[in-house]
Structure formats: C-alpha cells, structure tokens
Amino acid sequence: MEVIICKTYDAMSRAAAEVVAQVLNEKPNAVLGMATGSTPLGLYQELVRMHREESLDFSQVTTFNLDEYVGLPTTHEQSYHYFMHENFFKHVNIPKQNIHIPSGTTSNYRAFCQWYEKRIDECGGIDVQILGIGSDGHIAFNEPGSSLSSRTRLKTLAKQTIDDNARFFDSREQVPVYAITMGVGTIMEARKLLLLANGAKKAEAVAAAVEGPVSSMVTASALQMHEDATVFADDPAASKLKMREYYEWIQAKKPDAPRV
Ligand code: GLP
C-alpha cells in the first residue's frame, strides 16, 4: 500500500485527481468507481476543472458508484444519485447510459444487486475505484463485521454511521437505516484503489486501516491485501500513523528510485 501525505485538503484532492487523469489518458474508455461523501468533493472539482481547462475527456468513460441509501428517491437532496449529478456528472461529458448507481428504490434488492455485479463484469471490471473512509473504518457502506469477501448487497447502517451522516439531514431520524452497497470483495476486484481521508476525525480510522490488523472490524484494512492501493491523507488525517516518517521518506526519495 502506498501512503501519500499531503499538506492540505486541496493538495490531496489534486494528487488523487492526477492519478485518475493518468488512468484516463492511458485508457480513455476506463471504468471508474465513484464514491460519495464530503471527502471526494475536491477531487471531483479538480476533475471538472481538468475537463474544462485541459480537455480531460470522459466521453468513453463508464462509472459505477459504490452505494446508495435505501428509500430515498433519486431527486432527494441527500440521495447519492443527486449528489453525483450535482457535484460531478452534470459538469462532465460521461454518456448518461454509462452511469451506474445502485438503486435505493428497487422492488427487488437481491435481483438488483446481482445485476449490478454482472454489469460491472460486462463492462470489463473497474479500473480505478475512488474510496472515502467512515470514522469506523468502513469503505462504501461495509460496516464493521462485513465479510471481506462480501458482494453488492443490502446493508444495515451502524449507529456511528447514522450519527456521522445525520449532519446532512434535518434530523437523525431522517437518516436511512439501510443502504445498498458494493461489497468489500467487489471493491477489491478493482484494478486500482484510491482511498482519500481528510481531517482529524479520520485519523484513527486511517491508522487502523493502514497499520492495524486486516480485519472485518475495519473493512478499509482489506486494502492491505490489494496489489495497487494508495491512501491519500491530509496532515490531520495522517496524524496517528506510526510509520508516517517512513511514508514521507518514501515519497521524498521517489524521484531518485531506480527505474524498472
Ligand atoms: C458514507 C459513504 C462512504 C464515505 C463515508 C465518509 O458512509 N457511504 O462511502 O466514505 O460516508 O463520508 P465523508 O467523506 O463525508 O466523511
């Protein structure tokens, strides 16, 4: 796992956007795995800027989002459909039919989840998956205890997650209790993983994910088993990493490393 510590949130967002842009330059029809939450907003803004100012092209891109709340219509301001449209999709040129977001209003969740998995396969798998991290160490909505082999499914949210996400709703009671989420196993099949974390509130989760034991209690720790995973953390989010100096040393020495 590569750990990149950035001085600011903006620097972190730019560094991660740079990697996504590189993937698109090498493979214009790449399949992108999208995440929601406040963390990737800066990354999306930077990709939109690159699209406008540097002609970064999304016309052949396909996307799959990680998760969606159950019960929220796509027009609900807190639905992930709405979030993605407002913060990213409406600003770039991804063909509508190439956008996939789990349905929070399907009449058959089991069938929908199976279809979602099949659709990812049909599109050739995810090239680069963007991830945030919950304060309990979850990725997507894979709460503590989720199998590290889990697939797209219905999930009951943990109380911690409901508390954390209540800030986006008028009251805690309005936060949905269920979500549909890609599984840890689904995420681990992406060819490249980029996990972003900012703020002191994420410091413990980041340390547990990067340096703790691989455990279903911290589903982000599964990234330790992935062959191409990068964690981008801003200064406060990196503050509990024991090996921080070493990660910074690796980055400082990178330009001089032998070329393969
Ligand atoms: C939700 C999402 C996750 C996200 C997490 C953190 O639980 N399902 O994908 O990583 O929130 O959100 P934020 O970035 O707002 O801290």
Side-chain angles (χ1 to χ4, degrees):
M1 188 186 307
E2 186 170 6
V3 180
I4 299 182
I5 300 167
C6 304
K7 284 211 169 62
T8 62
Y9 173 73
D10 287 350
M12 177 190 83
S13 304
R14 280 195 303 272
E18 204 49 59
V19 178
V20 176
Q22 242 169 37
V23 170
L24 287 183
N25 285 334
E26 280 163 27
K27 186 177 178 185
N29 63 346
V31 178
L32 303 184
M34 315 304 287
T36 50
S38 47
T39 309
L41 279 174
L43 158 65
Y44 294 148
Q45 278 160 15
E46 179 60 9
L47 288 175
V48 169
R49 189 200 62 76
M50 288 170 160
H51 171 65
R52 287 191 181 140
E53 294 174 16
E54 295 163 14
S55 312
L56 183 64
D57 181 33
F58 291 88
S59 65
Q60 299 177 60
V61 163
T62 297
T63 65
F64 285 91
N65 261 80
L66 286 170
D67 46 13
E68 177 59 290
Y69 289 116
V70 163
L72 298 190
T74 56
T75 49
H76 191 290
E77 282 189 22
Q78 295 310 327
S79 77
Y80 288 168
H81 278 77
Y82 187 90
F83 174 100
M84 287 309 300
H85 181 71
E86 287 303 307
N87 293 301
F88 190 57
F89 293 141
K90 81 172 184 192
H91 306 289
V92 294
N93 61 335
I94 303 174
K96 230 179 168 182
Q97 66 275 16
N98 290 7
I99 293 172
H100 304 85
I101 305 178
S103 168
T105 53
T106 172
S107 55
N108 187 338
Y109 282 94
R110 188 182 289 266
F112 182 86
C113 292
Q114 282 170 359
W115 173 82
Y116 204 69
E117 290 275 339
K118 198 167 114 251
R119 192 76 198 115
I120 295 174
D121 265 0
E122 283 168 1
C123 294
I126 294 170
D127 289 298
V128 54
Q129 175 67 58
I130 298 159
L131 296 164
I133 185 169
S135 62
D136 61 4
H138 71 221
I139 44 175
F141 271 131
N142 292 288
E143 300 287 28
S146 294
S147 162
L148 300 185
S149 309
S150 51
R151 312 302 305 190
T152 303
R153 70 209 183 289
L154 197 71
K155 190 75 198 155
T156 309
L157 301 188
K159 286 189 176 154
Q160 173 76 58
T161 301
I162 293 176
D163 287 345
D164 287 351
N165 292 355
R167 67 188 194 278
F168 298 115
F169 292 81
D170 291 337
S171 71
R172 190 183 187 280
E173 287 61 47
Q174 288 179 16
V175 185
V177 172
Y178 305 99
I180 180 166
T181 180
M182 272 191 211
V184 183
T186 321
I187 293 167
M188 289 291 282
E189 280 172 12
R191 287 183 266 282
K192 186 187 265 304
L193 302 180
L194 308 178
L195 184 144
L196 281 72
N198 68 292
K201 271 195 176 159
K202 300 291 174 69
E204 259 172 49
V206 168
V210 175
E211 297 175 339
V214 174
S215 161
S216 63
M217 296 311 288
V218 177
T219 51
S221 66
L223 268 68
Q224 293 178 35
M225 305 287 288
H226 195 279
E227 63 176 351
D228 187 357
T230 306
V231 173
F232 295 86
D234 75 348
D235 212 59
S239 61
K240 297 213 165 146
L241 288 169
K242 290 200 182 76
M243 300 289 286
R244 178 182 177 143
E245 262 183 45
Y246 179 51
Y247 309 136
E248 287 174 334
W249 169 254
I250 293 172
Q251 292 308 312
K253 292 290 157 197
K254 218 174 172 179
D256 305 328
R259 301 268 175 261
V260 247

